Amino acid sequence: QVQLQESGPGLVKPSQTLSLTCTVSGGSITTSYYAWNWIRQPPGKGLEWMGVIAYDETTTYSPSLKSRTSISRDTSKNQFSLQLSSVTPDDTAVYYCVRDTGSGYDFDYWGQGTQVTVSS
């Protein structure tokens, strides 16, 4: 059973960088052909896909967030991470790390989500 767990600060100040880590258990992040995503949900809004790092370390980002987003991984810890720079209150959301099967937005395992609030 694959499990994903987000971790990171729950409060970030405007203009700073939001950093979250997802720890994966029950499966390796380097296993073909899985891909590892970050998705967020602002209060009262729908889910927003932010970006993905694939098993081969290829990354793809949402065009609307690309200039501010970076996803990386640490295979020794079986973790992948999100960095979102220059945050504003509009970046307040529940952030999820999610696995997809590699078939294109076929999400099969989700973390429980972590609330991040951007406020001074």
Side-chain angles (χ1 to χ4, degrees), residues 1-12:
Q1 179 78 0
V2 175
Q3 293 183 318
L4 297 88
Q5 178 67 59
E6 304 90 351
S7 60
L11 180 64
V12 182

Side-chain angles (χ1 to χ4, degrees), residues 49-50 60-68 105:
W49 178 80
M50 302 180 69
T60 307
Y61 301 108
S62 167
S64 64
L65 296 171
K66 184 175 183 177
S67 64
R68 299 195 291 129
Y105 303 111

Side-chain angles (χ1 to χ4, degrees), residues 12-18 68 84-89 91 95 118:
V12 182
K13 288 181 167 42
S15 81
Q16 292 187 343
T17 296
L18 179 160
R68 299 195 291 129
L84 182 66
S85 63
S86 304
V87 297
T88 73
D91 294 309
Y95 287 75
V118 179

Side-chain angles (χ1 to χ4, degrees), residues 1-2 13 20 22 46 52 55 60 63 83-84 91 94 100 106 112:
Q1 179 78 0
V2 175
K13 288 181 167 42
L20 296 174
C22 183
V52 61
Y55 69 99
T60 307
Q83 290 199 312
L84 182 66
D91 294 309
V94 177
D100 81 66
D106 182 19
Q112 65 183 26

